[in-house]
Amino acid sequence: MAQSPSLPKYLQDDDVSQECRDLLPSLPSEQGWVGTTLHLYQGFWVGPRHLKGVLACQRHFRAQDTDILLVTTPKSGTTWLKAILFALLNRTKYSGSGSQGQHPLLNHNPHDLVPFLELKLYVEQDTPDLASLPPPRLFATHLPYQSLPQPVRDSKCKLVYLCRNPKDTCVSLWHFTNKLRPKERGENSLQESLDRFCRGVSLFGPYWDHVLGYHKASSETPEKVLFLKYEDMKEDPYANLRRLAGFLECPFSQEELREGMVDEILRLCSFDNLSGLEVNKRGKLASGEENKAFFRRGEVGDWVNYLSVDIAEKIDRVGEEKLHGSGLKL
Ligand code: A3P
């Protein structure tokens, strides 16, 4: 049945390709967190509209050796890292006296400056023209490692992976999806959301499989995949930004360090600065999400305000089982 065109784009689940329409009935499905359904494709959960983007991106994206891909689990700080990467890679262009006034991050949401492959570029068009973009091209994706387009794995392009403690990720996801759900569908309960998260039924989940896939890739090919944690970024943003710059082969020069470039980028991309900007208080993405939905508290350990000890222990147990033997602690 056709859905109302007055729905924001991100809720238009019937806006899918024929290939997607043919595939959907064969995929296991569950109730969606935001839209009506989620489907299990190649071992991860995705809504119909985004599945269309996944299929097109897997088929058509041609990675270049100079590409940089930010990969995240949803709600692990994607918006923050998009801002940091954009500011880092464009630091020569926009730094210096007077030019801060025109920095694109001051009047654009980071999601508009660093587009998602499967959630934006390949949803809007089957074959977007990306070949003419100047290097280094900077994109984002939530795709699990095993489902990345093959050219991404075959090329020398670099992957920056960011994850976050599962309890904070889940609480953040619960808040975010409730903001995005149409009012008439009511809110997801926290209990139900936690159960689904623990069962692996979350956007691009199972969460633990996602993290493990990139953790393994980073251990095997550290020059290709940088594995970052939100908590480490919060604890020592200065050192981690320098580490990021080194990994991307654009380290800060002595002069930049002396002039305070690292702190300048961190200030520009800070939660307080970004969340207070007019564009992020009142603007919307082209797909309809309000920019302010991407900024809530931006703190480590906020889960204690929502989860009982029992529930927290349950998530920890699931994590311990999943991560057993990997050497990874979240
Ligand atoms: P909370 O809901 O815990 O506040 P994503 O960008 O992947 O959607 O993740 C959103 C989470 O990152 C939200 O977490 C949001 O508040 C937080 N966030 C957004 N911008 C941030 C920033 N500049 N610094 C730190 N955290 C930020």
Side-chain angles (χ1 to χ4, degrees):
M1 198 175 71
Q3 287 166 356
S4 155
S6 63
L7 278 176
K9 277 195 186 157
Y10 71 84
L11 285 170
Q12 292 180 17
D13 278 349
D14 62 352
D15 176 22
V16 297
S17 57
Q18 190 55 47
E19 181 187 19
C20 199
R21 231 180 278 281
D22 294 340
L23 180 62
L24 283 171
S26 67
L27 301 179
S29 64
E30 288 253 2
Q31 199 192 321
W33 288 63
V34 177
T36 46
T37 49
L38 276 182
H39 299 271
L40 187 66
Y41 172 69
Q42 296 184 342
F44 68 93
W45 292 94
V46 62
R49 185 177 149 79
H50 293 152
L51 178 61
K52 166 187 161 188
V54 169
L55 297 176
C57 164
Q58 288 182 327
R59 177 157 313 150
H60 300 298
F61 182 65
R62 296 285 163 265
Q64 298 176 0
D65 287 344
T66 47
D67 284 348
I68 296 164
L69 255 68
L70 169 65
V71 192
T72 59
T73 48
K75 310 326 291 174
S76 60
T78 320
T79 315
W80 185 23
L81 251 284
K82 279 188 176 186
I84 286 186
L85 281 167
F86 182 88
L88 175 67
L89 296 172
N90 292 289
R91 67 190 193 261
T92 319
K93 205 162 159 191
Y94 298 115
S95 115
S97 57
S99 60
Q100 280 298 304
Q102 290 110 46
H103 200 292
L105 278 164
L106 297 176
N107 46 24
H108 294 77
N109 178 273
H111 293 287
D112 284 329
L113 297 173
V114 184
F116 278 111
L117 292 172
E118 77 288 355
L119 303 188
K120 182 172 169 68
L121 297 171
Y122 286 90
V123 171
E124 289 172 358
Q125 282 177 291
D126 243 19
T127 52
D129 177 19
L130 309 176
S132 54
L133 296 175
R137 304 182 306 176
L138 176 58
F139 302 114
T141 180
H142 286 320
L143 282 170
Y145 187 73
Q146 80 277 0
S147 294
L148 286 172
Q150 191 60 38
V152 171
R153 281 176 287 168
D154 292 345
S155 75
K156 291 203 178 83
C157 77
K158 292 200 181 254
L159 307 181
V160 175
Y161 185 72
L162 178 73
C163 66
R164 186 182 189 188
N165 170 283
K167 298 189 282 284
D168 278 337
T169 303
C170 184
V171 166
S172 183
L173 184 64
W174 173 65
H175 280 288
F176 179 74
T177 51
N178 276 341
K179 276 182 212 153
L180 262 52
R181 273 171 81 86
K183 292 279 165 292
E184 58 278 14
R185 280 195 210 146
E187 296 201 341
N188 295 314
S189 78
L190 179 56
Q191 180 63 52
E192 183 197 351
S193 303
L194 289 161
D195 285 348
R196 278 199 275 170
F197 189 86
C198 286
R199 283 195 294 119
V201 187
S202 59
L203 314 180
F204 294 87
Y207 161 91
W208 288 275
D209 295 358
H210 201 284
V211 180
L212 278 172
Y214 284 97
H215 185 253
K216 181 164 179 281
S218 170
S219 312
E220 289 169 358
T221 50
E223 69 293 346
K224 182 170 180 75
V225 185
L226 178 69
F227 189 90
L228 294 174
K229 292 181 187 169
Y230 180 88
E231 294 73 21
D232 294 343
M233 286 294 300
K234 286 289 268 191
E235 191 179 306
D236 194 346
Y238 190 95
N240 279 294
L241 179 48
R242 287 192 65 185
R243 187 173 160 221
L244 183 57
F247 170 74
L248 296 176
E249 293 167 28
C250 58
F252 291 96
S253 65
Q254 286 306 319
E255 193 188 344
E256 285 177 321
L257 293 175
R258 258 196 319 276
E259 286 174 354
M261 176 65 90
V262 181
D263 283 325
E264 194 180 304
I265 292 177
L266 291 172
R267 244 191 328 271
L268 175 67
C269 302
S270 69
F271 182 88
D272 286 349
N273 187 50
L274 292 184
S275 63
L277 295 171
E278 202 56 24
V279 63
N280 293 325
K281 287 202 280 194
R282 290 186 230 295
K284 275 188 186 184
L285 300 185
S287 41
E289 297 92 338
E290 291 192 294
N291 291 345
K292 66 178 181 216
F294 295 94
F295 304 92
R296 193 181 61 89
R297 294 201 62 186
E299 283 174 13
V300 172
D302 185 43
W303 62 266
V304 293
N305 298 313
Y306 296 92
L307 309 187
S308 67
V309 173
D310 286 358
I311 300 273
E313 282 177 1
K314 181 180 168 193
I315 302 184
D316 289 343
R317 270 198 307 279
V318 175
E320 275 160 28
E321 235 169 73
K322 290 273 198 177
L323 303 183
H324 183 74
S326 69
L328 177 62
K329 289 223 173 331
L330 293 166

